[in-house]
Amino acid sequence: MTTPKSTSGPVHIVGAGLAGSEAAWQVANAGTPVVLHEMRPQRMTEAHRTEGCAELVCSNSFRSDDAANNAVGLLHAEMRKLGSLIMRAADANQVPAGGALAVDRDGFSAAVTRALHEHPLIEIARGEIAGLPPAEWHNVIVATGPLTSAPLADAIRQLTDESALAFFDAIAPIVHRDSIAMNVAWFQSRYDKVGPGGTGADYINCPMTREQYDAFVAALLEGEKVDFKDWETNTPYFDGCLPVEVMAERGHETLRHGPMKPVGLTNPHNPTVKPYAIVQLRQDNKLGTLYNIVGFQTKLKHGAQQRVFRTIPGLENAEFARLGGLHRNTFLNSPKLLDQQLRLRAQPRLRFAGQMTGCEGYVESASIGLIAGLYAAANARTQELAPPPSTTALGSLLGHITGGHIETIDSGPRSFQPMNINFGLFPPLASPPTKKPDGSRLRGNEKTVAKKQAMSARALADLDRWIADHLRVAAAA
C-alpha cells in the first residue's frame, strides 16, 4: 500500500520511551517525517541505565496476554491490529512467563531502537529539549514520562498554571462497584449534603464496630510497606494526601477523626446502632462502575492492601481496578488541560502522550503514544481522525484521560489520577450475558467471566470497524 505524503514539516516527538517510540513509528508509517528527540545519553535520568529507545526501567512484564478475559491482554490485541512497534518487539523478544507477556528487556529495547533507526522517515536527535519546544515546531508530541527533566517540567507548569508535577503521588485503591456488598454498605452523603453534581447519596458507606476498627488500625500499622527508591527520598508528600498508615501512626483515633469519621450517617441496615467508624467510597468514573476508597492513599505493598482492605465490612470480596500507591510522578490534569485529541488547550501545537497524560503501565503508555501518533499524522495531512470507539480498550483508556473521571463532590485533592486499563473503564454491555452456550444459566463467577469475554469481543469487532472506516480511508487519501 502506498503511504500518503505529508503536507507539512516533520512531527517532532520529545522522548524516546515506549510512548514516544510508538508515536514515532505510527507517524512515520503514515508517511510523515519524524524527528525523535531523546536526551539520553547526554543527560541521563535517575532510573535509566542505557541510551536505548523504549528502555524498561522497572519490570520486564507487559502483564496478561489473555485478550478474551483480561483488559490489558485486550489492549495488546488492539495494538497488534494497529501495527504497534512496541507489541512487535515484545512478541519477538518474549521470555517464559505463563499467561503473561514478559520480555528480554535488552533484546526488546534493541529491537525498538533498530526499527526506528532503520525507518527512512525517522531521525533520532540526541539532546535535551530544555524548555518548551521551539515555536517553529508546529506539530509536537511530548512523551517524556514520569521523569521529565526539570526545565521542560517547569515550562509546562508555567504554561498550564498547574503545580501538580514532581511530588509523591499518593493514590487510593479503586474498587469495582459490582463487587461491593450492598447488603452491608449503603449510599449516603454525610448529613445528606448535596454537593456539586451530587444527590445527597453520593458515597458508599461501610460501617465498622469498635472491635473491627481496632483490628483494622493494627493491621495497617503491621502491614508491609513499600520502600522509597534512593532518588525519591527527598520528594515531599502531596499536601492533603497523606498515606492512611501515616495517619494511623499519628494516633489510634486519628482515622476516626479524619476519613473514617462516623458522623452524619445512619446505617439503614441497622439504624439503631451507630457505627464506631465508617469507610467511604466515592464514584471515580462517569460510568459509575468504579469507586475509590476515600482518604486511603497508601504505601502498603499490594498483597497487604488486598488482605487489610478486604477486612472492611462490605469489601470482603472486593475486586480492585487498581491498588493504592505512592511514588514520584509527573502527570497533567489531562481532562482539564487536554482536548480529546490529546492537544494542550493552551497551545494546541503541543500534544501529550504516555504516562504524562495519566495512564500507568508499559502497555497503556505505549497505546496512548500510538493514538497520539495517529492523531499527529492525520493533522500533518490536514485531516481529523475520529477517536477510537469508547467500547475498545484504547478508546476507554483515552476516554479516562480526556474526561472519563468525575470531579470530587467535596473539597480535597484533585480527583484525576493515573490508571491502568481495566474493564471498569468500559461502557457497560447493553445486554449482559445470562446463559451459557448450552442454554443453562450462568452462576456466580461465571457471570463475571462471560461479561469480560463479551466486552472483549465487542471491543475487537468495534475496533475492526473503526480501522476500516477511518484508518484505511486516511491511508488512501
Side-chain angles (χ1 to χ4, degrees), residues 448-473:
T448 300
V449 172
K451 182 174 75 170
K452 290 178 179 179
Q453 292 177 350
M455 293 176 107
S456 293
R458 177 184 65 175
L460 294 175
D462 288 353
L463 185 70
D464 284 341
R465 281 190 288 272
W466 180 74
I467 292 172
D469 292 344
H470 300 285
L471 294 189
R472 291 173 188 165
V473 170

mmCIF file with all atom_site columns, all heavy atoms in Angstrom, residues 448-473:
data_model
loop_
_atom_site.group_PDB
_atom_site.id
_atom_site.type_symbol
_atom_site.label_atom_id
_atom_site.label_alt_id
_atom_site.label_comp_id
_atom_site.label_asym_id
_atom_site.label_entity_id
_atom_site.label_seq_id
_atom_site.pdbx_PDB_ins_code
_atom_site.Cartn_x
_atom_site.Cartn_y
_atom_site.Cartn_z
_atom_site.occupancy
_atom_site.B_iso_or_equiv
_atom_site.pdbx_formal_charge
_atom_site.auth_seq_id
_atom_site.auth_comp_id
_atom_site.auth_asym_id
_atom_site.auth_atom_id
_atom_site.pdbx_PDB_model_num
ATOM 1   N N   . THR A 1 448 ? -19.210 -13.087 35.727 1.00 0.00 ? 448 THR A N   1
ATOM 2   C CA  . THR A 1 448 ? -18.107 -12.140 35.557 1.00 0.00 ? 448 THR A CA  1
ATOM 3   C C   . THR A 1 448 ? -17.250 -12.506 34.371 1.00 0.00 ? 448 THR A C   1
ATOM 4   O O   . THR A 1 448 ? -16.879 -11.651 33.559 1.00 0.00 ? 448 THR A O   1
ATOM 5   C CB  . THR A 1 448 ? -17.250 -12.096 36.833 1.00 0.00 ? 448 THR A CB  1
ATOM 6   O OG1 . THR A 1 448 ? -18.064 -11.684 37.940 1.00 0.00 ? 448 THR A OG1 1
ATOM 7   C CG2 . THR A 1 448 ? -16.097 -11.122 36.685 1.00 0.00 ? 448 THR A CG2 1
ATOM 8   N N   . VAL A 1 449 ? -16.931 -13.796 34.245 1.00 0.00 ? 449 VAL A N   1
ATOM 9   C CA  . VAL A 1 449 ? -16.104 -14.263 33.135 1.00 0.00 ? 449 VAL A CA  1
ATOM 10  C C   . VAL A 1 449 ? -16.814 -14.004 31.807 1.00 0.00 ? 449 VAL A C   1
ATOM 11  O O   . VAL A 1 449 ? -16.216 -13.491 30.848 1.00 0.00 ? 449 VAL A O   1
ATOM 12  C CB  . VAL A 1 449 ? -15.778 -15.759 33.303 1.00 0.00 ? 449 VAL A CB  1
ATOM 13  C CG1 . VAL A 1 449 ? -15.096 -16.307 32.054 1.00 0.00 ? 449 VAL A CG1 1
ATOM 14  C CG2 . VAL A 1 449 ? -14.906 -15.980 34.533 1.00 0.00 ? 449 VAL A CG2 1
ATOM 15  N N   . ALA A 1 450 ? -18.085 -14.353 31.738 1.00 0.00 ? 450 ALA A N   1
ATOM 16  C CA  . ALA A 1 450 ? -18.841 -14.176 30.495 1.00 0.00 ? 450 ALA A CA  1
ATOM 17  C C   . ALA A 1 450 ? -18.949 -12.697 30.130 1.00 0.00 ? 450 ALA A C   1
ATOM 18  O O   . ALA A 1 450 ? -18.884 -12.331 28.947 1.00 0.00 ? 450 ALA A O   1
ATOM 19  C CB  . ALA A 1 450 ? -20.227 -14.786 30.633 1.00 0.00 ? 450 ALA A CB  1
ATOM 20  N N   . LYS A 1 451 ? -19.112 -11.830 31.118 1.00 0.00 ? 451 LYS A N   1
ATOM 21  C CA  . LYS A 1 451 ? -19.217 -10.397 30.850 1.00 0.00 ? 451 LYS A CA  1
ATOM 22  C C   . LYS A 1 451 ? -17.917 -9.864  30.266 1.00 0.00 ? 451 LYS A C   1
ATOM 23  O O   . LYS A 1 451 ? -17.925 -9.104  29.283 1.00 0.00 ? 451 LYS A O   1
ATOM 24  C CB  . LYS A 1 451 ? -19.564 -9.647  32.139 1.00 0.00 ? 451 LYS A CB  1
ATOM 25  C CG  . LYS A 1 451 ? -19.740 -8.145  31.932 1.00 0.00 ? 451 LYS A CG  1
ATOM 26  C CD  . LYS A 1 451 ? -20.222 -7.457  33.195 1.00 0.00 ? 451 LYS A CD  1
ATOM 27  C CE  . LYS A 1 451 ? -19.112 -7.331  34.213 1.00 0.00 ? 451 LYS A CE  1
ATOM 28  N NZ  . LYS A 1 451 ? -19.491 -6.462  35.358 1.00 0.00 ? 451 LYS A NZ  1
ATOM 29  N N   . LYS A 1 452 ? -16.775 -10.261 30.847 1.00 0.00 ? 452 LYS A N   1
ATOM 30  C CA  . LYS A 1 452 ? -15.488 -9.812  30.323 1.00 0.00 ? 452 LYS A CA  1
ATOM 31  C C   . LYS A 1 452 ? -15.284 -10.298 28.891 1.00 0.00 ? 452 LYS A C   1
ATOM 32  O O   . LYS A 1 452 ? -14.817 -9.542  28.029 1.00 0.00 ? 452 LYS A O   1
ATOM 33  C CB  . LYS A 1 452 ? -14.357 -10.316 31.219 1.00 0.00 ? 452 LYS A CB  1
ATOM 34  C CG  . LYS A 1 452 ? -14.292 -9.644  32.575 1.00 0.00 ? 452 LYS A CG  1
ATOM 35  C CD  . LYS A 1 452 ? -13.170 -10.224 33.420 1.00 0.00 ? 452 LYS A CD  1
ATOM 36  C CE  . LYS A 1 452 ? -13.086 -9.528  34.773 1.00 0.00 ? 452 LYS A CE  1
ATOM 37  N NZ  . LYS A 1 452 ? -12.011 -10.110 35.616 1.00 0.00 ? 452 LYS A NZ  1
ATOM 38  N N   . GLN A 1 453 ? -15.635 -11.542 28.636 1.00 0.00 ? 453 GLN A N   1
ATOM 39  C CA  . GLN A 1 453 ? -15.456 -12.081 27.287 1.00 0.00 ? 453 GLN A CA  1
ATOM 40  C C   . GLN A 1 453 ? -16.342 -11.364 26.280 1.00 0.00 ? 453 GLN A C   1
ATOM 41  O O   . GLN A 1 453 ? -15.929 -11.102 25.144 1.00 0.00 ? 453 GLN A O   1
ATOM 42  C CB  . GLN A 1 453 ? -15.733 -13.583 27.292 1.00 0.00 ? 453 GLN A CB  1
ATOM 43  C CG  . GLN A 1 453 ? -14.684 -14.374 28.063 1.00 0.00 ? 453 GLN A CG  1
ATOM 44  C CD  . GLN A 1 453 ? -14.989 -15.855 28.147 1.00 0.00 ? 453 GLN A CD  1
ATOM 45  O OE1 . GLN A 1 453 ? -16.083 -16.300 27.782 1.00 0.00 ? 453 GLN A OE1 1
ATOM 46  N NE2 . GLN A 1 453 ? -14.033 -16.632 28.631 1.00 0.00 ? 453 GLN A NE2 1
ATOM 47  N N   . ALA A 1 454 ? -17.550 -11.018 26.691 1.00 0.00 ? 454 ALA A N   1
ATOM 48  C CA  . ALA A 1 454 ? -18.452 -10.284 25.803 1.00 0.00 ? 454 ALA A CA  1
ATOM 49  C C   . ALA A 1 454 ? -17.935 -8.872  25.534 1.00 0.00 ? 454 ALA A C   1
ATOM 50  O O   . ALA A 1 454 ? -18.034 -8.359  24.407 1.00 0.00 ? 454 ALA A O   1
ATOM 51  C CB  . ALA A 1 454 ? -19.856 -10.233 26.404 1.00 0.00 ? 454 ALA A CB  1
ATOM 52  N N   . MET A 1 455 ? -17.382 -8.218  26.553 1.00 0.00 ? 455 MET A N   1
ATOM 53  C CA  . MET A 1 455 ? -16.822 -6.885  26.361 1.00 0.00 ? 455 MET A CA  1
ATOM 54  C C   . MET A 1 455 ? -15.611 -6.929  25.431 1.00 0.00 ? 455 MET A C   1
ATOM 55  O O   . MET A 1 455 ? -15.420 -6.034  24.590 1.00 0.00 ? 455 MET A O   1
ATOM 56  C CB  . MET A 1 455 ? -16.434 -6.281  27.717 1.00 0.00 ? 455 MET A CB  1
ATOM 57  C CG  . MET A 1 455 ? -17.625 -5.981  28.616 1.00 0.00 ? 455 MET A CG  1
ATOM 58  S SD  . MET A 1 455 ? -17.106 -5.390  30.240 1.00 0.00 ? 455 MET A SD  1
ATOM 59  C CE  . MET A 1 455 ? -17.531 -3.673  30.124 1.00 0.00 ? 455 MET A CE  1
ATOM 60  N N   . SER A 1 456 ? -14.792 -7.981  25.560 1.00 0.00 ? 456 SER A N   1
ATOM 61  C CA  . SER A 1 456 ? -13.622 -8.115  24.697 1.00 0.00 ? 456 SER A CA  1
ATOM 62  C C   . SER A 1 456 ? -14.034 -8.351  23.251 1.00 0.00 ? 456 SER A C   1
ATOM 63  O O   . SER A 1 456 ? -13.473 -7.749  22.321 1.00 0.00 ? 456 SER A O   1
ATOM 64  C CB  . SER A 1 456 ? -12.735 -9.266  25.187 1.00 0.00 ? 456 SER A CB  1
ATOM 65  O OG  . SER A 1 456 ? -12.156 -8.966  26.435 1.00 0.00 ? 456 SER A OG  1
ATOM 66  N N   . ALA A 1 457 ? -15.017 -9.211  23.045 1.00 0.00 ? 457 ALA A N   1
ATOM 67  C CA  . ALA A 1 457 ? -15.488 -9.485  21.685 1.00 0.00 ? 457 ALA A CA  1
ATOM 68  C C   . ALA A 1 457 ? -16.069 -8.219  21.054 1.00 0.00 ? 457 ALA A C   1
ATOM 69  O O   . ALA A 1 457 ? -15.820 -7.917  19.881 1.00 0.00 ? 457 ALA A O   1
ATOM 70  C CB  . ALA A 1 457 ? -16.520 -10.605 21.710 1.00 0.00 ? 457 ALA A CB  1
ATOM 71  N N   . ARG A 1 458 ? -16.848 -7.472  21.835 1.00 0.00 ? 458 ARG A N   1
ATOM 72  C CA  . ARG A 1 458 ? -17.411 -6.213  21.347 1.00 0.00 ? 458 ARG A CA  1
ATOM 73  C C   . ARG A 1 458 ? -16.287 -5.245  20.962 1.00 0.00 ? 458 ARG A C   1
ATOM 74  O O   . ARG A 1 458 ? -16.354 -4.584  19.909 1.00 0.00 ? 458 ARG A O   1
ATOM 75  C CB  . ARG A 1 458 ? -18.295 -5.595  22.428 1.00 0.00 ? 458 ARG A CB  1
ATOM 76  C CG  . ARG A 1 458 ? -18.895 -4.251  22.070 1.00 0.00 ? 458 ARG A CG  1
ATOM 77  C CD  . ARG A 1 458 ? -19.683 -3.628  23.221 1.00 0.00 ? 458 ARG A CD  1
ATOM 78  N NE  . ARG A 1 458 ? -18.840 -3.287  24.359 1.00 0.00 ? 458 ARG A NE  1
ATOM 79  C CZ  . ARG A 1 458 ? -19.282 -2.651  25.450 1.00 0.00 ? 458 ARG A CZ  1
ATOM 80  N NH1 . ARG A 1 458 ? -20.564 -2.314  25.549 1.00 0.00 ? 458 ARG A NH1 1
ATOM 81  N NH2 . ARG A 1 458 ? -18.467 -2.367  26.445 1.00 0.00 ? 458 ARG A NH2 1
ATOM 82  N N   . ALA A 1 459 ? -15.255 -5.165  21.796 1.00 0.00 ? 459 ALA A N   1
ATOM 83  C CA  . ALA A 1 459 ? -14.155 -4.233  21.550 1.00 0.00 ? 459 ALA A CA  1
ATOM 84  C C   . ALA A 1 459 ? -13.441 -4.540  20.244 1.00 0.00 ? 459 ALA A C   1
ATOM 85  O O   . ALA A 1 459 ? -13.187 -3.640  19.423 1.00 0.00 ? 459 ALA A O   1
ATOM 86  C CB  . ALA A 1 459 ? -13.170 -4.274  22.712 1.00 0.00 ? 459 ALA A CB  1
ATOM 87  N N   . LEU A 1 460 ? -13.103 -5.798  20.032 1.00 0.00 ? 460 LEU A N   1
ATOM 88  C CA  . LEU A 1 460 ? -12.345 -6.157  18.832 1.00 0.00 ? 460 LEU A CA  1
ATOM 89  C C   . LEU A 1 460 ? -13.175 -5.942  17.575 1.00 0.00 ? 460 LEU A C   1
ATOM 90  O O   . LEU A 1 460 ? -12.655 -5.499  16.536 1.00 0.00 ? 460 LEU A O   1
ATOM 91  C CB  . LEU A 1 460 ? -11.859 -7.597  18.940 1.00 0.00 ? 460 LEU A CB  1
ATOM 92  C CG  . LEU A 1 460 ? -10.817 -7.844  20.050 1.00 0.00 ? 460 LEU A CG  1
ATOM 93  C CD1 . LEU A 1 460 ? -10.490 -9.325  20.174 1.00 0.00 ? 460 LEU A CD1 1
ATOM 94  C CD2 . LEU A 1 460 ? -9.548  -7.032  19.792 1.00 0.00 ? 460 LEU A CD2 1
ATOM 95  N N   . ALA A 1 461 ? -14.459 -6.242  17.644 1.00 0.00 ? 461 ALA A N   1
ATOM 96  C CA  . ALA A 1 461 ? -15.331 -6.019  16.488 1.00 0.00 ? 461 ALA A CA  1
ATOM 97  C C   . ALA A 1 461 ? -15.461 -4.523  16.188 1.00 0.00 ? 461 ALA A C   1
ATOM 98  O O   . ALA A 1 461 ? -15.389 -4.098  15.027 1.00 0.00 ? 461 ALA A O   1
ATOM 99  C CB  . ALA A 1 461 ? -16.704 -6.630  16.738 1.00 0.00 ? 461 ALA A CB  1
ATOM 100 N N   . ASP A 1 462 ? -15.613 -3.716  17.235 1.00 0.00 ? 462 ASP A N   1
ATOM 101 C CA  . ASP A 1 462 ? -15.749 -2.278  17.034 1.00 0.00 ? 462 ASP A CA  1
ATOM 102 C C   . ASP A 1 462 ? -14.452 -1.655  16.535 1.00 0.00 ? 462 ASP A C   1
ATOM 103 O O   . ASP A 1 462 ? -14.469 -0.718  15.721 1.00 0.00 ? 462 ASP A O   1
ATOM 104 C CB  . ASP A 1 462 ? -16.191 -1.599  18.333 1.00 0.00 ? 462 ASP A CB  1
ATOM 105 C CG  . ASP A 1 462 ? -17.644 -1.895  18.685 1.00 0.00 ? 462 ASP A CG  1
ATOM 106 O OD1 . ASP A 1 462 ? -18.341 -2.512  17.854 1.00 0.00 ? 462 ASP A OD1 1
ATOM 107 O OD2 . ASP A 1 462 ? -18.076 -1.508  19.789 1.00 0.00 ? 462 ASP A OD2 1
ATOM 108 N N   . LEU A 1 463 ? -13.306 -2.162  17.013 1.00 0.00 ? 463 LEU A N   1
ATOM 109 C CA  . LEU A 1 463 ? -12.030 -1.642  16.534 1.00 0.00 ? 463 LEU A CA  1
ATOM 110 C C   . LEU A 1 463 ? -11.835 -1.969  15.052 1.00 0.00 ? 463 LEU A C   1
ATOM 111 O O   . LEU A 1 463 ? -11.361 -1.118  14.282 1.00 0.00 ? 463 LEU A O   1
ATOM 112 C CB  . LEU A 1 463 ? -10.867 -2.219  17.343 1.00 0.00 ? 463 LEU A CB  1
ATOM 113 C CG  . LEU A 1 463 ? -9.507  -1.618  16.976 1.00 0.00 ? 463 LEU A CG  1
ATOM 114 C CD1 . LEU A 1 463 ? -9.408  -0.179  17.439 1.00 0.00 ? 463 LEU A CD1 1
ATOM 115 C CD2 . LEU A 1 463 ? -8.362  -2.448  17.556 1.00 0.00 ? 463 LEU A CD2 1
ATOM 116 N N   . ASP A 1 464 ? -12.203 -3.169  14.637 1.00 0.00 ? 464 ASP A N   1
ATOM 117 C CA  . ASP A 1 464 ? -12.094 -3.529  13.221 1.00 0.00 ? 464 ASP A CA  1
ATOM 118 C C   . ASP A 1 464 ? -12.896 -2.568  12.350 1.00 0.00 ? 464 ASP A C   1
ATOM 119 O O   . ASP A 1 464 ? -12.429 -2.128  11.288 1.00 0.00 ? 464 ASP A O   1
ATOM 120 C CB  . ASP A 1 464 ? -12.576 -4.966  12.999 1.00 0.00 ? 464 ASP A CB  1
ATOM 121 C CG  . ASP A 1 464 ? -11.567 -6.014  13.458 1.00 0.00 ? 464 ASP A CG  1
ATOM 122 O OD1 . ASP A 1 464 ? -10.375 -5.663  13.607 1.00 0.00 ? 464 ASP A OD1 1
ATOM 123 O OD2 . ASP A 1 464 ? -11.968 -7.175  13.677 1.00 0.00 ? 464 ASP A OD2 1
ATOM 124 N N   . ARG A 1 465 ? -14.102 -2.222  12.800 1.00 0.00 ? 465 ARG A N   1
ATOM 125 C CA  . ARG A 1 465 ? -14.933 -1.293  12.031 1.00 0.00 ? 465 ARG A CA  1
ATOM 126 C C   . ARG A 1 465 ? -14.294 0.096   11.980 1.00 0.00 ? 465 ARG A C   1
ATOM 127 O O   . ARG A 1 465 ? -14.315 0.767   10.935 1.00 0.00 ? 465 ARG A O   1
ATOM 128 C CB  . ARG A 1 465 ? -16.340 -1.215  12.619 1.00 0.00 ? 465 ARG A CB  1
ATOM 129 C CG  . ARG A 1 465 ? -17.231 -2.390  12.212 1.00 0.00 ? 465 ARG A CG  1
ATOM 130 C CD  . ARG A 1 465 ? -18.678 -2.147  12.609 1.00 0.00 ? 465 ARG A CD  1
ATOM 131 N NE  . ARG A 1 465 ? -18.860 -2.252  14.047 1.00 0.00 ? 465 ARG A NE  1
ATOM 132 C CZ  . ARG A 1 465 ? -19.132 -3.392  14.684 1.00 0.00 ? 465 ARG A CZ  1
ATOM 133 N NH1 . ARG A 1 465 ? -19.251 -4.511  13.999 1.00 0.00 ? 465 ARG A NH1 1
ATOM 134 N NH2 . ARG A 1 465 ? -19.286 -3.406  15.989 1.00 0.00 ? 465 ARG A NH2 1
ATOM 135 N N   . TRP A 1 466 ? -13.725 0.534   13.101 1.00 0.00 ? 466 TRP A N   1
ATOM 136 C CA  . TRP A 1 466 ? -13.081 1.857   13.142 1.00 0.00 ? 466 TRP A CA  1
ATOM 137 C C   . TRP A 1 466 ? -11.883 1.899   12.201 1.00 0.00 ? 466 TRP A C   1
ATOM 138 O O   . TRP A 1 466 ? -11.690 2.886   11.468 1.00 0.00 ? 466 TRP A O   1
ATOM 139 C CB  . TRP A 1 466 ? -12.652 2.164   14.581 1.00 0.00 ? 466 TRP A CB  1
ATOM 140 C CG  . TRP A 1 466 ? -11.980 3.489   14.758 1.00 0.00 ? 466 TRP A CG  1
ATOM 141 C CD1 . TRP A 1 466 ? -12.560 4.727   14.736 1.00 0.00 ? 466 TRP A CD1 1
ATOM 142 C CD2 . TRP A 1 466 ? -10.584 3.721   15.010 1.00 0.00 ? 466 TRP A CD2 1
ATOM 143 N NE1 . TRP A 1 466 ? -11.622 5.698   14.961 1.00 0.00 ? 466 TRP A NE1 1
ATOM 144 C CE2 . TRP A 1 466 ? -10.405 5.118   15.137 1.00 0.00 ? 466 TRP A CE2 1
ATOM 145 C CE3 . TRP A 1 466 ? -9.485  2.872   15.172 1.00 0.00 ? 466 TRP A CE3 1
ATOM 146 C CZ2 . TRP A 1 466 ? -9.156  5.675   15.393 1.00 0.00 ? 466 TRP A CZ2 1
ATOM 147 C CZ3 . TRP A 1 466 ? -8.236  3.427   15.418 1.00 0.00 ? 466 TRP A CZ3 1
ATOM 148 C CH2 . TRP A 1 466 ? -8.081  4.823   15.530 1.00 0.00 ? 466 TRP A CH2 1
ATOM 149 N N   . ILE A 1 467 ? -11.075 0.845   12.208 1.00 0.00 ? 467 ILE A N   1
ATOM 150 C CA  . ILE A 1 467 ? -9.923  0.787   11.306 1.00 0.00 ? 467 ILE A CA  1
ATOM 151 C C   . ILE A 1 467 ? -10.392 0.852   9.853  1.00 0.00 ? 467 ILE A C   1
ATOM 152 O O   . ILE A 1 467 ? -9.838  1.599   9.036  1.00 0.00 ? 467 ILE A O   1
ATOM 153 C CB  . ILE A 1 467 ? -9.103  -0.488  11.568 1.00 0.00 ? 467 ILE A CB  1
ATOM 154 C CG1 . ILE A 1 467 ? -8.419  -0.414  12.936 1.00 0.00 ? 467 ILE A CG1 1
ATOM 155 C CG2 . ILE A 1 467 ? -8.061  -0.707  10.466 1.00 0.00 ? 467 ILE A CG2 1
ATOM 156 C CD1 . ILE A 1 467 ? -7.752  -1.716  13.366 1.00 0.00 ? 467 ILE A CD1 1
ATOM 157 N N   . ALA A 1 468 ? -11.421 0.081   9.525  1.00 0.00 ? 468 ALA A N   1
ATOM 158 C CA  . ALA A 1 468 ? -11.930 0.048   8.148  1.00 0.00 ? 468 ALA A CA  1
ATOM 159 C C   . ALA A 1 468 ? -12.510 1.394   7.738  1.00 0.00 ? 468 ALA A C   1
ATOM 160 O O   . ALA A 1 468 ? -12.316 1.851   6.601  1.00 0.00 ? 468 ALA A O   1
ATOM 161 C CB  . ALA A 1 468 ? -12.981 -1.049  8.013  1.00 0.00 ? 468 ALA A CB  1
ATOM 162 N N   . ASP A 1 469 ? -13.199 2.061   8.657  1.00 0.00 ? 469 ASP A N   1
ATOM 163 C CA  . ASP A 1 469 ? -13.896 3.301   8.315  1.00 0.00 ? 469 ASP A CA  1
ATOM 164 C C   . ASP A 1 469 ? -12.992 4.523   8.308  1.00 0.00 ? 469 ASP A C   1
ATOM 165 O O   . ASP A 1 469 ? -13.260 5.488   7.578  1.00 0.00 ? 469 ASP A O   1
ATOM 166 C CB  . ASP A 1 469 ? -15.036 3.558   9.300  1.00 0.00 ? 469 ASP A CB  1
ATOM 167 C CG  . ASP A 1 469 ? -16.162 2.544   9.166  1.00 0.00 ? 469 ASP A CG  1
ATOM 168 O OD1 . ASP A 1 469 ? -16.204 1.859   8.139  1.00 0.00 ? 469 ASP A OD1 1
ATOM 169 O OD2 . ASP A 1 469 ? -16.974 2.447   10.110 1.00 0.00 ? 469 ASP A OD2 1
ATOM 170 N N   . HIS A 1 470 ? -11.921 4.508   9.127  1.00 0.00 ? 470 HIS A N   1
ATOM 171 C CA  . HIS A 1 470 ? -11.139 5.727   9.311  1.00 0.00 ? 470 HIS A CA  1
ATOM 172 C C   . HIS A 1 470 ? -9.678  5.597   8.893  1.00 0.00 ? 470 HIS A C   1
ATOM 173 O O   . HIS A 1 470 ? -9.169  6.439   8.157  1.00 0.00 ? 470 HIS A O   1
ATOM 174 C CB  . HIS A 1 470 ? -11.226 6.193   10.764 1.00 0.00 ? 470 HIS A CB  1
ATOM 175 C CG  . HIS A 1 470 ? -12.625 6.497   11.208 1.00 0.00 ? 470 HIS A CG  1
ATOM 176 N ND1 . HIS A 1 470 ? -13.284 7.629   10.821 1.00 0.00 ? 470 HIS A ND1 1
ATOM 177 C CD2 . HIS A 1 470 ? -13.473 5.807   12.006 1.00 0.00 ? 470 HIS A CD2 1
ATOM 178 C CE1 . HIS A 1 470 ? -14.495 7.638   11.352 1.00 0.00 ? 470 HIS A CE1 1
ATOM 179 N NE2 . HIS A 1 470 ? -14.642 6.530   12.073 1.00 0.00 ? 470 HIS A NE2 1
ATOM 180 N N   . LEU A 1 471 ? -8.994  4.569   9.368  1.00 0.00 ? 471 LEU A N   1
ATOM 181 C CA  . LEU A 1 471 ? -7.563  4.493   9.080  1.00 0.00 ? 471 LEU A CA  1
ATOM 182 C C   . LEU A 1 471 ? -7.291  4.120   7.642  1.00 0.00 ? 471 LEU A C   1
ATOM 183 O O   . LEU A 1 471 ? -6.376  4.655   7.000  1.00 0.00 ? 471 LEU A O   1
ATOM 184 C CB  . LEU A 1 471 ? -6.874  3.507   10.020 1.00 0.00 ? 471 LEU A CB  1
ATOM 185 C CG  . LEU A 1 471 ? -6.851  3.927   11.504 1.00 0.00 ? 471 LEU A CG  1
ATOM 186 C CD1 . LEU A 1 471 ? -5.966  2.993   12.294 1.00 0.00 ? 471 LEU A CD1 1
ATOM 187 C CD2 . LEU A 1 471 ? -6.360  5.362   11.643 1.00 0.00 ? 471 LEU A CD2 1
ATOM 188 N N   . ARG A 1 472 ? -8.059  3.184   7.080  1.00 0.00 ? 472 ARG A N   1
ATOM 189 C CA  . ARG A 1 472 ? -7.811  2.812   5.691  1.00 0.00 ? 472 ARG A CA  1
ATOM 190 C C   . ARG A 1 472 ? -8.191  3.938   4.743  1.00 0.00 ? 472 ARG A C   1
ATOM 191 O O   . ARG A 1 472 ? -7.534  4.156   3.724  1.00 0.00 ? 472 ARG A O   1
ATOM 192 C CB  . ARG A 1 472 ? -8.580  1.526   5.350  1.00 0.00 ? 472 ARG A CB  1
ATOM 193 C CG  . ARG A 1 472 ? -7.998  0.316   6.070  1.00 0.00 ? 472 ARG A CG  1
ATOM 194 C CD  . ARG A 1 472 ? -8.821  -0.938  5.886  1.00 0.00 ? 472 ARG A CD  1
ATOM 195 N NE  . ARG A 1 472 ? -8.325  -2.010  6.751  1.00 0.00 ? 472 ARG A NE  1
ATOM 196 C CZ  . ARG A 1 472 ? -8.987  -3.112  7.025  1.00 0.00 ? 472 ARG A CZ  1
ATOM 197 N NH1 . ARG A 1 472 ? -10.190 -3.316  6.504  1.00 0.00 ? 472 ARG A NH1 1
ATOM 198 N NH2 . ARG A 1 472 ? -8.477  -4.040  7.815  1.00 0.00 ? 472 ARG A NH2 1
ATOM 199 N N   . VAL A 1 473 ? -9.244  4.666   5.106  1.00 0.00 ? 473 VAL A N   1
ATOM 200 C CA  . VAL A 1 473 ? -9.628  5.826   4.290  1.00 0.00 ? 473 VAL A CA  1
ATOM 201 C C   . VAL A 1 473 ? -8.533  6.882   4.342  1.00 0.00 ? 473 VAL A C   1
ATOM 202 O O   . VAL A 1 473 ? -8.137  7.473   3.337  1.00 0.00 ? 473 VAL A O   1
ATOM 203 C CB  . VAL A 1 473 ? -10.972 6.413   4.787  1.00 0.00 ? 473 VAL A CB  1
ATOM 204 C CG1 . VAL A 1 473 ? -11.248 7.741   4.101  1.00 0.00 ? 473 VAL A CG1 1
ATOM 205 C CG2 . VAL A 1 473 ? -12.102 5.426   4.524  1.00 0.00 ? 473 VAL A CG2 1
#
